[in-house]
Amino acid sequence: MRSTDLPSACSLVAAALGTTGRGLTLPPRGPDRSQVPLLLYGSVLACLMLWAGLMTYRQYLQQLPLRWSSIYHDRNAHYQAALGIACELRQGHLLQALRDLDAASVAWPLLHPLLLGLVLAVTGPLPEAAVLPGVLGWLTAGALAFWLVQRLLRGPAGLLGGLLAAALLLSSPALRVMATDVMLESLGLALTLAVLVAYARWVESPSTRRAAWLGGLLAALFLHKYNYWGLTIVALIAHQIGWQAPSAKRCLSIVLAALPERKWLYRQLTHPLHYLILALLVVSGVIWYLQGVYLGLGPWHFEIHRPRLLIETAYLLFLVRLLGWWFRSGRRAVQRHAGEAWRTLIEWAGLPVLVWLALPFRLHYFVWYAGPGNNPGVLQLSWLQKLQFYAGGIASNYYLHRWLLVGSVGLAVIGLVGLLAQRGGRPWRWAPVLFLFAAASLTLLHPNAQIRFVHTWLPLLWVLSGVGLATLLNLLRHTFQRLGAGLSVGMWLVQALMVGIILGGLGAAVAQPPQVHPWFGRGYGTPSDSLRELYDVYLSQLDGQRPTAVLCNLPEASWRWPFLERFGHKNNLHHNLREIGVFDPVSLQDAQRWLAATGVEVIVYVEIPPTSPLYEPPPHRHDNTAILTALYNQDRFHAVRQIPVRNLGTIYIWQRS
């Protein structure tokens, strides 16, 4: 036998012995050529992401001041929270940084302020660095959209479809402006797609490791923003029930196995903790129904207006009982009936959520965000009006051209038909579709209408568009194969042409600054003036050391982050009248009491008149002009500066006499 025949002989022996080869090790084969197209397309995608990221970030730097043109925009709160944490860390005040993190994560969870705070602690309090998590999340979302499409339809067609999905995501004007903003949407989109990718891998091959990844990402999504987590959970549960029948049956068997035996039921009915929880919930219900109660016991009088603390106490008792059961017998029962992977998934996905909600005020805000109370009343729209609102907003802000909208929707319909026609396709293929339709429906039902609510689910439409393109290419390939083998060259030419179109289109799209409709939000080019011009004027008059109050005629305005950004600390900084327990808007009597009691040495008062392009109507229709009136009618402080700033406003500076 010649030496060149050795590999083939080994192969024959291995085949005869079975798939394992009974310990026989074959010589290593050459590189897997099936991975070459994936590596090629992956390299192209990486170049596209780098180009899109650099160009979009560069355009943000060129227009950075305009991003800060709204005194009430959420970006102020997000930036302010992260700056506070970063500045305390840079000063070595770890305990105060944890306090600031706790305060920043009451309404929104802690992931974004923690991550951005760590970034700014390294880079310094720079607005240029504040958008880095958003940019990274946006680019990561493009890569994940590519993965989903090429995984649904393998081969060159799937790779090209994935490239189209990524290109639509990377070229979207709304996604680009939000990526360069201090907001939660871009990172939320990346985490949402990461959960879908982790779920796909879990469904394909459940394992303890993949369960931990899926559970950890679900917990991270919850700790980033509750809304995104809720939309994802609804879709995944629906997919498990509708398309994963064995898993659904397994979950049902766990529940049935845990149904009460007589002894178990008797223990629950006689446990005193359950009656205490029930009593707290009943009392909370009475307080909510009566809108508050008044109790008088001799010399003691109690007024309870909201049952929030009672409900949180009931939840804490429930959590103690639940965790006790879980670690005592529950986890073993789940592992016995469903396997270690399911037990791992439940622990990683569930325990962080349960513990987080036990922290003060978290349960209240979680319920508020998910319920009908989250309605500022700005837009009172019917279901049909909301449909028109979101359709118009998507067309005006998420696509460069209307024909792209029509084309992507058409391809998405073809993609849906292709998924329906698949036989033996990916078992998770309907999970992204379910997420898209469930999230769109829940967005329409939500009482608060904002166009950026589509941010985390609209890219799933582009994933379907990529699937549609891949389906068309596969049909075209089969047509070429029927016509003759020689025509397969035409298929490669078609694919090369489409790659060129996608590359050229995306390159041209990101070369221009993103443009969105003015009503998309303030700070994206409208108005064409910046609050930073006002900030720079009054900050140049301060030394950052003396006790200072920065106040404004517009109540509940965000004035702390400019001070933090300039001086790197918030020591001795006041931004409201809470020294005397007064909140905005301020009355004349409250302003007079504060001026008589405050210990500040410098007062900065910023007046933004209704004629200013930076003016925004106060949330409660009352402003803080009483503060300026009180300043003119007292003698503890004297005016040292009055600086008009074009047509934007006027800066007043007062010092202690």
Side-chain angles (χ1 to χ4, degrees):
M1 180 182 293
R2 299 189 303 272
S3 60
T4 55
D5 294 331
L6 183 59
S8 59
C10 291
S11 300
L12 291 173
V13 173
L17 294 176
T19 56
T20 61
R22 299 193 182 278
L24 181 63
T25 303
L26 297 177
R29 297 179 179 270
D32 186 2
R33 293 185 178 181
S34 64
Q35 298 299 315
V36 172
L38 178 59
L39 294 174
L40 180 62
Y41 275 88
S43 301
V44 172
L45 177 63
C47 293
L48 286 177
M49 291 168 57
L50 181 62
W51 170 253
L54 289 176
M55 291 302 296
T56 302
Y57 184 69
R58 176 173 173 267
Q59 291 152 6
Y60 161 72
L61 295 181
Q62 292 172 344
Q63 299 184 347
L64 187 151
L66 298 184
R67 190 68 85 238
W68 308 93
S69 60
S70 172
I71 204 166
Y72 291 126
H73 199 282
D74 287 347
R75 71 172 67 90
N76 295 289
H78 298 316
Y79 187 39
Q80 185 169 282
L83 272 178
I85 296 167
C87 290
E88 297 298 343
L89 288 175
R90 290 174 67 85
Q91 295 177 80
H93 302 157
L94 180 59
L95 184 59
Q96 184 58 46
L98 291 175
R99 290 196 188 108
D100 286 355
L101 178 60
D102 174 69
S105 58
V106 172
W108 293 286
L110 87 163
L111 186 61
H112 185 267
L114 176 61
L115 178 61
L116 183 54
L118 293 175
V119 170
L120 296 176
V122 174
T123 64
L126 301 173
E128 295 84 355
V131 301
L132 293 180
V135 172
L136 181 61
W138 166 60
L139 296 177
T140 302
L144 294 172
F146 171 83
W147 188 94
L148 285 169
V149 177
Q150 65 86 27
R151 194 75 174 180
L152 282 168
L153 291 173
R154 306 302 290 268
L159 294 171
L160 186 55
L163 195 63
L164 173 67
L168 287 170
L169 193 150
L170 295 174
S171 65
S172 170
L175 264 67
R176 292 178 65 203
V177 297
M178 292 295 284
T180 51
D181 200 356
V182 191
M183 295 291 286
L184 308 184
E185 277 71 15
S186 295
L187 190 56
L189 170 60
L191 286 171
T192 299
L193 294 181
V195 166
L196 291 175
V197 168
Y199 179 74
R201 295 184 61 80
W202 150 263
V203 170
E204 287 180 355
S205 179
S207 67
T208 303
R209 182 178 180 182
R210 292 186 176 185
W213 270 107
L214 175 57
L217 285 169
L218 279 169
L221 185 59
F222 178 87
L223 294 174
H224 181 64
K225 196 170 184 181
Y226 305 136
N227 313 55
Y228 306 155
W229 174 86
L231 297 176
T232 308
I233 284 292
V234 168
L236 298 191
I237 290 177
H239 185 264
Q240 282 290 313
I241 294 173
W243 278 267
Q244 295 295 110
S247 298
K249 290 179 180 178
R250 190 180 300 116
C251 293
L252 182 60
S253 68
I254 296 172
V255 174
L256 292 175
L259 282 178
E261 303 171 353
R262 289 186 178 181
K263 292 182 179 179
W264 183 90
L265 183 59
Y266 178 76
R267 288 197 302 270
Q268 307 315 307
L269 291 175
T270 57
H271 199 289
L273 195 60
H274 296 167
Y275 290 96
L276 180 56
I277 294 172
L278 180 61
L280 289 170
L281 293 177
V282 169
V283 172
S284 300
V286 171
I287 294 172
W288 174 81
Y289 180 77
L290 298 176
Q291 298 183 350
V293 296
Y294 173 83
L295 299 175
L297 298 174
W300 296 284
H301 302 276
F302 303 94
E303 289 185 58
I304 304 177
H305 299 283
R306 296 179 181 177
R308 182 174 58 200
L309 294 179
L310 295 177
I311 294 174
E312 289 182 356
T313 303
Y315 176 78
L316 279 172
L317 296 175
F318 162 77
L319 183 61
V320 168
R321 183 75 172 131
L322 179 65
L323 293 180
W325 166 80
W326 176 260
F327 289 108
R328 188 170 54 250
S329 60
R331 68 197 310 263
R332 289 195 301 271
V334 171
Q335 184 164 328
R336 183 170 61 253
H337 289 281
E340 185 180 4
W342 270 97
R343 190 263 301 164
T344 303
L345 175 60
I346 292 171
E347 287 184 334
W348 279 82
L351 291 182
V353 172
L354 293 171
V355 173
W356 176 258
L357 292 177
L359 297 178
F361 304 109
R362 269 59 174 192
L363 181 63
H364 165 75
Y365 275 98
F366 172 72
V367 174
W368 180 80
Y369 271 116
N374 184 11
N375 181 13
V378 177
L379 289 176
Q380 299 291 342
L381 304 177
S382 66
W383 191 89
L384 182 59
Q385 289 173 326
K386 284 183 183 178
L387 186 61
Q388 295 172 338
F389 168 78
Y390 282 115
I394 289 171
S396 302
N397 300 289
Y398 284 85
Y399 287 91
L400 278 169
H401 306 287
R402 294 296 175 97
W403 63 265
L404 278 175
L405 168 62
V406 175
S408 70
V409 171
L411 286 174
V413 173
I414 295 173
L416 276 176
V417 174
L419 291 178
L420 284 169
Q422 275 189 3
R423 295 181 180 273
R426 298 287 178 184
W428 53 270
R429 64 185 183 275
W430 291 109
V433 180
L434 275 174
F435 176 81
L436 174 62
F437 283 98
S441 301
L442 292 172
T443 300
L444 289 172
L445 292 174
H446 198 284
N448 188 0
Q450 295 189 45
I451 186 58
R452 57 188 172 93
F453 286 176
V454 310
H455 210 83
T456 54
W457 55 261
L458 183 63
L460 270 299
L461 176 69
W462 301 330
V463 169
L464 282 178
S465 301
V467 173
L469 177 62
T471 301
L472 286 178
L473 289 174
N474 282 332
L475 289 174
L476 190 60
R477 178 172 58 84
H478 290 311
T479 302
F480 280 150
Q481 287 176 346
R482 285 196 300 269
L483 292 175
L487 293 177
S488 62
V489 177
M491 188 64 199
W492 288 104
L493 291 175
V494 169
Q495 293 185 26
L497 177 63
M498 298 201 70
V499 169
I501 292 173
I502 292 173
L503 292 179
L506 179 61
V510 300
Q512 302 296 323
Q515 300 290 329
V516 292
H517 199 277
W519 56 261
F520 184 80
R522 294 173 69 98
Y524 306 111
T526 305
S528 58
D529 296 283
S530 175
L531 284 163
R532 285 184 174 272
E533 191 169 348
L534 291 172
Y535 299 153
D536 291 340
V537 170
Y538 77 76
L539 288 171
S540 65
Q541 305 295 318
L542 304 177
D543 59 11
Q545 302 300 321
R546 302 171 67 186
T548 302
V550 181
L551 308 172
C552 181
N553 64 310
L554 298 179
E556 300 178 13
S558 298
W559 294 100
R560 281 182 292 173
W561 69 257
F563 191 95
L564 281 161
E565 189 181 89
R566 175 66 62 92
F567 300 111
H569 68 83
K570 58 180 184 295
N571 305 332
N572 297 318
L573 174 64
H574 300 254
H575 64 285
N576 51 42
L577 310 191
R578 293 185 187 180
E579 285 179 282
I580 60 170
V582 171
F583 297 87
D584 288 348
V586 177
S587 68
L588 180 60
Q589 293 77 14
D590 291 333
Q592 291 170 339
R593 283 198 301 120
W594 178 78
L595 288 170
T598 184
V600 302
E601 297 181 10
V602 179
I603 298 176
V604 176
Y605 182 84
V606 183
E607 184 179 38
I608 303 177
T611 56
S612 169
L614 299 175
Y615 180 83
E616 296 177 70
H620 302 290
R621 300 181 181 179
H622 298 285
D623 61 20
N624 287 341
T625 54
I627 297 176
L628 186 60
T629 303
L631 280 168
Y632 277 121
N633 293 280
Q634 52 80 45
D635 56 6
R636 289 193 72 200
F637 297 86
H638 64 277
V640 294
R641 294 282 191 281
Q642 180 175 336
I643 310 172
V645 184
R646 297 195 294 114
N647 63 332
L648 305 181
T650 304
I651 306 296
Y652 300 87
I653 299 180
W654 302 68
Q655 292 184 2
R656 186 183 292 274
S657 301

